[in-house]
Amino acid sequence: MIAADHWTQGFATLKDVTVGTEAYILHADGTTTHYKCVEVLDGHNTGHIITDSQYREVVSKSDLLLYTCIDGWRNVRVVL
């Protein structure tokens, strides 16, 4: 699952997330899924895929990937 937003909107605090930070998603059916951050990195949005700073794909590294822009939509903070 991938979720993204502008840092000037809902994901401003994503830049403060560290490894070990816990989060959860409340689903419409009343269930809750819990997550723990395992990696934070700066990377790129190529327009087709999210990568690390060396342009290696990172989407498959975790069950949930969150990202927000750093200084334009191509440079992003990625939280796994």
Side-chain angles (χ1 to χ4, degrees):
M1 182 177 354
I2 298 173
D5 198 0
H6 299 286
W7 75 270
T8 57
Q9 296 175 353
F11 273 22
T13 58
L14 201 61
K15 292 183 178 182
D16 299 325
V17 172
T18 59
V19 171
T21 300
E22 296 183 5
Y24 60 90
I25 295 176
L26 299 173
H27 300 279
D29 66 2
T31 61
T32 303
T33 304
H34 294 268
Y35 296 93
K36 184 180 279 191
C37 176
V38 296
E39 187 174 355
V40 177
L41 56 104
D42 290 341
H44 304 286
N45 178 349
T46 69
H48 300 285
I49 197 162
I50 305 303
T51 71
D52 65 13
S53 62
Q54 301 300 310
Y55 291 92
R56 294 177 296 233
E57 176 273 326
V58 295
V59 174
S60 63
K61 291 181 74 172
S62 70
D63 293 332
L64 175 63
L65 182 147
L66 308 174
Y67 72 95
T68 192
C69 50
I70 295 174
D71 59 359
W73 68 273
R74 292 192 181 273
N75 298 314
V76 294
R77 170 70 40 87
V78 179
V79 174
L80 304 169

